[in-house]
Amino acid sequence: MTSPLTFPITVDIVALTVIDHALHCLVVRRGIDPYRGRLALPGGFVREDEQTHQAAARELTEETGIAPPGHLEQLRSYGPLGRDPRGPILSVAYLLLAPSFSPARAGGDASGALWHPVDALLTPSSPLAFDHAAILADGVERARSKIEYSPLATSFCGPEFTITQLRTTYEAIWGSPLDPRNFHRKATKTASFIEATGETIREGAGRPAALYRLAPGVDETAFVLDPPLRRPASPAPASQEKGAPPPSAQQ
Amino acid sequence: MTSPLTFPITVDIVALTVIDHALHCLVVRRGIDPYRGRLALPGGFVREDEQTHQAAARELTEETGIAPPGHLEQLRSYGPLGRDPRGPILSVAYLLLAPSFSPARAGGDASGALWHPVDALLTPSSPLAFDHAAILADGVERARSKIEYSPLATSFCGPEFTITQLRTTYEAIWGSPLDPRNFHRKATKTASFIEATGETIREGAGRPAALYRLAPGVDETAFVLDPPLRRPASPAPASQEKGAPPPSAQQ
DNA sequence: TCAAAAGTGTTGGGGCTACACCCATGG
DNA sequence: CCATGGGTGTAGCCCCAACACTTTTGA
């Protein structure tokens, strides 16, 4: 057998957070060609002696100053053809759900990193370079699906949170309002999800809210919510691919 | 920036079918080192000027003589480190669900291809080379998840099938028995799933069964089953990651 | 007439949606 | 006292598991 063809491999990170009740994605402004000056997902080439998930963590820190606070989940691979003007390059995409107090805007290799509203990045004329709009769309769909049956949404909330904070997180990711009373009952009654700390917190007017934390011994990424928190039916369900499940996939 | 490091890229195909009420996977016996003589998933190196899914279809045909009868769904990527003694190699895995009458045992580059029971390939001392046991496990989990909310299980059944044939397919993939009466009602009442042909077929003793086909205009891979056909709860749920959906789906 | 497989009816439980209602606080 | 948000109760709907029962065939 002849020596096999080789390809450069990149990683791209879809890092999501919730700011002001809206889903935001971490993007960098490219300092080099191609697509110099355009927005792009953080990422870069895989080096020798590292796995793709290690490259994703390294590039995220290098380009944005953010150390992955949680779990990097692989989305899928893209390419190698037709996605980079420099030639065939395979890219492996990763998803990260970060708390909203992550150090945004930390600088690095790229000309600044910032949280950008997802809605503005997914328009038909997306400002994102390469095929990053498609990658982002897959990442958002994965996040929407994953929080249905895993406690992963608590990753956005910090160590302690109120039920309302958790609910507004779900609303921001799913993009649809939820009934506060039914959500409260569902969140507090579901096993292996959250537990009360016993503390309460006052936030402006109204009755103080009880504080909760992730239930002990629960992996945020495990599929433990049974029955799941199902998102409301969308009016116009976009064609879906399930990279995972769950729930949740295809290409 | 210096010229980036490059890697060989392979594809591996998890092709599943149902034979004698048991899930089987298409494997080849390796004719070359490393792992000469061991069983492995069909696959090979990605060439210039092809996408990974095209490489998967090409390798499947070359090694097993089987042209992908349906949809090749990307599972995820693996590596590049620690999975091949020849050095760092990234592999992109694909999933294919094939009807049981696919031409098994067709020869090719490798020393023969055959359908092998999945159970025997997933033991702790798996006969599979490389990390193919882990890839197969991910593929089986994706298949189990995907048939919950897509009509994909009909891919195993051929163009026309009885409700009992469809149910035994679900039972083989999920590995657990289902109530025939409840399954019948669920399958026939769910919209955008199957439709009666009007014909019946006699199979040994008992009342003849009505024949059904996939509902017209339905993409087998779309997430159209609402509510989904949920699989029975497993006694010992293995740790899951959803490559796609259904749930699930991730990696 | 009986066994076997296909297919239908029914019943009880649980989760969910929708909403009425009560609780605890600030102004 | 009232506005504001936190939290509980409940009624009706739908789905589902379980299983009794009917239908249609071969032997």
Side-chain angles (χ1 to χ4, degrees), chain B residues 214-240:
Chain B
L214 181 63
V218 173
D219 177 2
E220 295 175 3
T221 65
F223 291 18
V224 297
L225 268 40
D226 185 42
L229 281 129
R230 306 253 342 242
R231 62 183 132 169
S234 300
S239 73
Q240 303 175 13

Side-chain angles (χ1 to χ4, degrees), chain A residues 43-100:
Chain A
F45 288 101
V46 177
R47 297 182 185 165
E48 202 175 15
D49 296 330
E50 67 180 0
Q51 301 283 31
T52 52
H53 70 89
Q54 295 166 332
R58 176 182 53 74
E59 288 285 351
L60 182 67
T61 304
E62 286 179 6
E63 292 199 340
T64 72
I66 295 178
H71 183 68
L72 276 169
E73 172 173 325
Q74 187 181 128
L75 283 171
R76 50 160 294 179
S77 71
Y78 298 84
L81 300 184
R83 50 179 309 278
D84 192 309
R86 290 167 290 187
I89 296 180
L90 189 95
S91 186
V92 180
Y94 280 83
L95 176 66
L96 174 71
L97 305 190
S100 53

Side-chain angles (χ1 to χ4, degrees), chain A residues 151-152 154 158-161 192-195 212-220:
Chain A
L152 197 54
T154 61
E160 298 191 351
F161 46 86
S192 300
F193 189 20
I194 59 176
E195 67 168 10
Y212 291 81
R213 68 171 79 91
L214 182 63
V218 174
D219 176 2
E220 296 175 2

Side-chain angles (χ1 to χ4, degrees), chain B residues 78-224:
Chain B
Y78 298 83
L81 299 185
R83 51 180 308 279
D84 193 308
R86 289 167 290 187
I89 297 180
L90 189 95
S91 186
V92 180
Y94 280 84
L95 176 66
L96 174 70
L97 304 191
S100 54
F101 51 79
S102 290
R105 255 164 243 278
D109 275 10
S111 314
L114 68 159
W115 295 105
H116 204 282
V118 162
D119 284 350
L121 298 172
L122 289 181
T123 57
S125 59
S126 171
L128 285 175
F130 305 108
D131 53 355
H132 287 185
I135 296 175
L136 173 59
D138 288 346
V140 170
E141 172 53 33
R142 177 78 68 90
R144 285 179 174 155
S145 168
K146 184 123 194 176
I147 63 173
E148 290 189 44
Y149 41 77
S150 81
L152 197 54
T154 61
S155 302
F156 286 109
C157 293
E160 298 191 351
F161 46 86
T162 66
I163 299 293
T164 295
Q165 288 169 353
L166 184 62
R167 175 175 50 81
T168 56
T169 298
Y170 272 92
E171 289 173 335
I173 301 174
W174 284 341
S176 53
L178 302 172
D179 184 293
R181 294 95 89 194
N182 290 334
F183 182 89
H184 186 282
R185 192 191 348 264
K186 186 85 167 88
T188 52
K189 294 286 191 296
T190 299
S192 300
F193 189 20
I194 58 176
E195 68 168 9
T197 67
E199 307 290 309
T200 61
I201 188 172
R202 273 180 291 277
E203 297 181 309
R207 174 175 171 174
L211 281 172
Y212 291 81
R213 67 171 79 93
L214 181 63
V218 173
D219 177 2
E220 295 175 3
T221 65
F223 291 18
V224 297

Side-chain angles (χ1 to χ4, degrees), chain A residues 103-122:
Chain A
R105 255 162 244 280
D109 275 9
S111 315
L114 68 158
W115 295 105
H116 205 283
V118 162
D119 284 350
L121 298 172
L122 288 181

Side-chain angles (χ1 to χ4, degrees), chain A residues 1 4-9 32 45-54 71 73-82 86 88 90 92 94 141-142 145-146 149 221-223 226-228 230 233 240-251, chain B residues 1 4-9 32 45-54 71-82 86 88 90 92 94 142 145-146 149 221-223 226-228 230 233 240-251:
Chain A
M1 164 178 290
L5 193 68
T6 63
F7 300 82
I9 297 176
I32 59 170
F45 288 101
V46 177
R47 297 182 185 165
E48 202 175 15
D49 296 330
E50 67 180 0
Q51 301 283 31
T52 52
H53 70 89
Q54 295 166 332
H71 183 68
E73 172 173 325
Q74 187 181 128
L75 283 171
R76 50 160 294 179
S77 71
Y78 298 84
L81 300 184
R86 290 167 290 187
L90 189 95
V92 180
Y94 280 83
E141 172 52 32
R142 176 77 67 91
S145 168
K146 184 124 193 177
Y149 41 78
T221 64
F223 291 17
D226 185 42
R230 307 260 332 249
Q240 303 176 14
E241 289 222 21
K242 198 166 190 125
S248 144
Q250 344 351 282
Q251 60 266 326
Chain B
M1 164 178 287
L5 193 67
T6 64
F7 300 83
I9 298 176
I32 60 170
F45 289 102
V46 176
R47 299 182 183 166
E48 200 174 15
D49 295 330
E50 66 180 359
Q51 301 283 29
T52 52
H53 70 88
Q54 294 165 333
H71 184 69
L72 276 168
E73 170 171 328
Q74 187 181 127
L75 283 170
R76 52 160 294 176
S77 72
Y78 298 83
L81 299 185
R86 289 167 290 187
L90 189 95
V92 180
Y94 280 84
R142 177 78 68 90
S145 168
K146 184 123 194 176
Y149 41 77
T221 65
F223 291 18
D226 185 42
R230 306 253 342 242
Q240 303 175 13
E241 289 226 15
K242 199 169 190 121
S248 249
Q250 74 283 347
Q251 46 260 325

